[in-house]
């Protein structure tokens, strides 16, 4: 067989003449004279036709070719309007590399079956499209922060303090120790010490949360893009969040039109994100709109529920940045608003179309004693946080940051019903296999 293989896309771009390609049998059908094999690789799918007159001796093998067999193919490519992707290869020579018999995934399986066979379902055109968009999203996050002069920095995954509330902490039996080591829920307490060294830092790393409620937006292991900036005020933090989301959506629109089409995503829903400024409002303003326009009164001091966020975001075609939440509903490290000590300089970015929170961010409380007080109120022992409290002892500066749930943004960009499809092997309370 010829040595120089083209990807299926490259072969289609060439459009005519002899080509060698390799991949997996995506579908097959035929009669006793002709066999049609649609061959898939990471780039595309192409119809290959084998004629019995050319392969009299091998016909039995060809007749038995099954889905997901891996193949090398040598043949002649030409345009063909009737072929599903517009081109056809008439096969001259072929070789089976790896057999596949009775591939378990056929048609119309339950979500449960597909989850059990996730390792195989990854090969579906739907998952391939999502995984390509996922790759673009990760690349774009790195590119955005690096363009803005950030350093990539890494926090530990084994952590000895909690940051986002004890109820979602995963404890690790670290050499037999109990209640001392946890999987990171966020990088934050280990990132703040590093702004004194690098000033502008970011990461993309797994975060772990023991989410006990079943929702379509919570995983127990998710990828968390986080940033922290020295000297920044609260508005700058929100500006970076808006800049990042715009950049990510723009990159996906540039690179993944085909994949979005396969996922039947309406591009008109994504285009405004790049072009229009996001809507910014305070929690108080959000309550007023909920009451007046949505007929959903919320008592001041209550966090917004999913249903309220959904109603609110459906009023706009761009993300909504809600800021200045009541202190009681937000984390211990957020700065009080200088004009109103009952609210904090914290914000949530809510995606349009009811996709919910994609970013949580804040300006960080600078006062040592205030932080200690709030830790105690949460039942924490400030002694455990000594290393963190040093950030407020030695040359403290105003700073802030945010965390973006990478699967949340992928779910929204792809228009998926559930966050589980945005990651290769989703982890939830019930699902940790395969
Ligand atoms: P939620 O209210 O949706 O549980 P949160 O307030 O707990 O979110 P943060 O602690 O602010 O979230 O975390 C930062 C970001 O991480 C969120 O804006 C979201 O995009 C993402 N995120 C949080 N929890 C999860 C999870 N369990 N699975 C996937 N992404 C998550
Ligand atoms: Mg949460």
């Amino acid at each position: 067989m010829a040595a120089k293989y083209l990807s299926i896309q490259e072969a289609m771009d060439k459009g005519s003449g002899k080509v060698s390609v390799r991949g997996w049998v995506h579908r097959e059908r035929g009669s006793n004279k002709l066999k049609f094999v649609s061959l898939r690789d990471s780039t595309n799918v192409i119809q290959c036709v084998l004629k019995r007159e050319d392969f009299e001796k091998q016909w039995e093998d060809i007749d038995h070719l099954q889905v997901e067999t891996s193949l090398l193919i040598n043949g002649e490519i030409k345009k063909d309007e009737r072929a599903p992707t517009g081109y056809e290869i008439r096969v001259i020579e072929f070789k089976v590399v790896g057999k596949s018999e009775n591939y378990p995934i056929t048609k119309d399986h339950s979500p449960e079956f597909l989850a059990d066979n996730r390792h195989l379902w990854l090969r579906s055109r739907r998952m391939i499209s999502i995984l390509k968009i996922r790759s673009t999203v990760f690349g774009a996050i790195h590119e955005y922060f690096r363009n803005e002069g950030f350093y990539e920095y890494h926090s530990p995954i084994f952590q000895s303090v909690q940051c986002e509330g004890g109820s979602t902490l995963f404890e690790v039996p670290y050499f037999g120790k109990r209640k001392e080591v946890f999987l990171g829920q966020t990088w934050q307490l280990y990132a703040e010490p590093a702004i004194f060294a690098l000033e502008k830092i970011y990461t993309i790393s797994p975060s772990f949360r023991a989410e006990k409620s079943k929702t379509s937006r919570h995983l127990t292991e998710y990828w968390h893009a986080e940033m922290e900036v020295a000297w920044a005020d609260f508005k700058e933090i929100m500006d970076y969040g808006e800049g990042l989301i715009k950049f990510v959506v723009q990159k996906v629109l540039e690179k993944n039109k085909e994949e979005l089409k396969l996922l039947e995503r309406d591009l008109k829903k994504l285009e405004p994100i790049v072009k229009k400024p996001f809507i910014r409002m305070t929690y108080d303003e959000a309550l007023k709109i909920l009451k007046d326009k949505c007929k959903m009164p919320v008592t001041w001091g209550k966090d917004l529920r999913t249903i309220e966020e959904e109603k609110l975001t459906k009023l706009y075609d761009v993300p909504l940045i809600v800021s200045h939440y009541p202190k009681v509903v937000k984390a211990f490290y957020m700065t009080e608003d200088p004009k109103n000590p009952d609210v904090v300089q914290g914000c949530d970015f809510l995606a349009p179309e009811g996709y919910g929170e994609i970013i949580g961010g804040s300006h960080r409380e600078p006062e040592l004693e205030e932080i200690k007080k709030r830790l105690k109120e949460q039942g924490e022992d400030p002694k455990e946080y000594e290393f963190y409290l040093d950030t407020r002892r030695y040359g403290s500066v105003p700073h802030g940051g945010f965390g973006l749930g990478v699967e949340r943004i992928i779910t929204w960009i792809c228009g998926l019903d559930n966050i589980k499809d945005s990651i290769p092997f989703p982890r939830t309370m019930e699902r940790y296999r395969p």
Side-chain angles (χ1 to χ4, degrees):
M1 302 268 320
K4 174 90 177 87
Y5 291 95
L6 298 180
S7 71
I8 289 173
Q9 190 57 54
E10 287 167 342
M12 291 186 356
D13 293 344
K14 186 176 171 206
S16 65
K18 292 237 166 79
V19 290
S20 300
V21 293
R22 55 193 165 187
W24 294 264
V25 176
H26 182 58
R27 290 211 179 90
E28 51 79 24
R29 69 188 162 87
S31 62
N32 61 12
K33 287 208 181 75
L34 277 179
K35 177 91 170 179
F36 291 100
V37 165
S38 68
L39 192 76
R40 167 185 64 75
D41 71 3
S42 62
T43 66
N44 214 326
V45 172
I46 191 165
Q47 174 165 296
C48 303
V49 53
L50 298 106
K51 298 191 173 174
R52 186 167 187 156
E53 61 196 63
D54 299 333
F55 295 102
E56 201 54 66
K57 279 196 204 127
Q58 289 164 286
W59 193 248
E60 194 152 330
D61 293 343
I62 292 172
D63 206 29
H64 285 105
L65 276 181
Q66 290 191 28
V67 167
E68 290 305 319
T69 301
S70 47
L71 283 182
L72 306 179
I73 277 179
N74 214 334
E76 187 110 1
I77 191 167
K78 64 172 174 42
K79 248 198 154 87
D80 188 327
E81 300 300 334
R82 293 161 306 173
T85 51
Y87 287 87
E88 184 179 271
I89 295 177
R90 179 171 175 170
V91 180
I92 298 168
E93 218 184 336
F94 77 95
K95 187 169 177 230
V96 171
V97 180
K99 273 200 243 173
S100 165
E101 270 163 31
N102 304 323
Y103 189 66
I105 299 179
T106 48
K107 249 203 226 154
D108 301 331
H109 290 294
S110 68
E112 208 46 33
F113 180 87
L114 293 179
D116 288 337
N117 288 281
R118 190 71 174 177
H119 54 294
L120 299 176
W121 183 237
L122 294 181
R123 307 180 187 195
S124 63
R125 295 199 77 200
R126 178 181 168 79
M127 282 310 298
I128 292 173
S129 299
I130 296 169
L131 292 175
K132 284 185 186 171
I133 292 171
R134 186 176 163 95
S135 173
T136 303
V137 169
F138 274 73
I141 295 170
H142 282 291
E143 200 180 331
Y144 174 78
F145 282 121
R146 284 164 185 265
N147 287 348
E148 294 287 333
F150 282 69
Y151 291 101
E152 184 173 353
Y153 165 81
H154 304 102
S155 63
I157 299 289
F158 289 139
Q159 300 183 357
S160 58
V161 288
Q162 65 92 12
C163 185
E164 295 297 330
S167 66
T168 64
L169 267 186
F170 273 114
E171 216 184 280
V172 183
Y174 200 76
F175 300 103
K177 290 200 179 73
R178 300 293 310 276
K179 300 208 183 297
E180 282 185 33
V181 180
F182 314 98
L183 297 181
Q185 299 165 304
T186 165
W187 83 332
Q188 190 182 321
L189 301 189
Y190 295 88
E192 286 182 61
I195 58 152
F196 298 84
L198 299 172
E199 298 189 37
K200 294 165 80 174
I201 53 176
Y202 83 97
T203 200
I204 315 180
S205 156
S207 274
F208 302 88
R209 297 191 184 191
E211 306 283 1
K212 285 158 207 105
S213 58
K214 284 184 224 160
T215 78
S216 56
R217 347 190 227 132
H218 289 89
L219 297 164
T220 51
E221 174 183 321
Y222 72 97
W223 287 77
H224 205 172
E226 298 189 85
M227 60 85 89
E228 196 72 34
V229 200
W231 311 105
D233 63 23
F234 183 42
K235 181 176 174 295
E236 276 174 71
I237 302 300
M238 292 191 278
D239 292 345
Y240 278 121
E242 177 165 347
L244 173 64
I245 292 173
K246 280 191 152 63
F247 190 79
V248 169
V249 172
Q250 186 196 336
K251 286 289 162 188
V252 173
L253 286 172
E254 273 167 35
K255 293 190 179 175
N256 299 107
K257 283 235 160 66
E258 285 304 315
E259 288 74 25
L260 290 168
K261 198 168 125 198
L262 194 136
L263 296 169
E264 296 175 4
R265 184 64 166 131
D266 183 357
L267 298 187
K268 288 203 187 65
K269 295 265 164 65
L270 296 176
E271 280 153 4
I273 314 304
V274 182
K275 292 187 196 132
K276 292 165 67 174
F278 293 2
I279 306 284
R280 300 186 186 201
M281 65 176 69
T282 62
Y283 170 87
D284 286 3
E285 286 162 346
L287 289 203
K288 185 161 181 347
I289 292 170
L290 278 167
K291 182 158 162 267
D292 296 349
K293 292 200 183 150
C294 311
K295 306 281 168 254
M296 288 183 118
V298 177
T299 318
W300 198 95
K302 289 253 180 294
D303 205 356
L304 299 182
R305 293 175 303 163
T306 306
I307 169 106
E308 286 136 9
E309 290 180 350
E310 203 174 303
K311 277 273 179 320
L312 206 53
T313 55
K314 285 192 170 160
L315 300 173
Y316 311 98
D317 59 357
V318 291
L320 185 59
I321 311 175
V322 183
S323 64
H324 298 87
Y325 282 83
K327 195 154 100 186
V328 287
V329 304
K330 288 292 176 193
F332 72 88
Y333 50 73
M334 297 189 184
T335 317
E336 277 174 11
D337 184 51
K339 285 181 246 125
N340 176 4
D342 292 335
V343 303
V344 285
Q345 297 188 15
C347 60
D348 285 353
F349 283 54
L350 308 176
E353 303 169 70
Y355 278 94
E357 181 184 329
I358 40 180
I359 284 185
S362 72
H363 200 252
R364 317 303 192 194
E365 171 58 47
E367 289 302 322
L368 181 63
E369 291 309 318
E370 182 64 26
I371 292 194
K372 280 192 187 167
K373 190 180 109 202
R374 294 203 212 157
L375 277 170
K376 280 190 206 138
E377 280 165 10
Q378 292 202 352
E380 293 294 312
D381 179 0
K383 277 209 193 70
E384 295 291 331
Y385 292 77
E386 277 301 309
F387 82 93
Y388 174 70
L389 297 174
D390 276 352
T391 56
R392 307 310 198 257
R393 287 190 183 112
Y394 305 110
S396 188
V397 293
H399 66 282
F402 65 69
L404 166 134
V406 185
E407 284 76 20
R408 293 265 177 102
I409 195 171
I410 295 169
T411 303
W412 160 52
I413 289 175
C414 294
L416 309 176
D417 294 337
N418 194 300
I419 196 167
K420 287 190 260 184
D421 268 347
S422 67
I423 185 165
F425 290 93
R427 298 299 184 230
T428 60
M429 193 163 159
E430 291 98 17
R431 173 66 65 180
Y432 41 86
R433 294 196 178 97

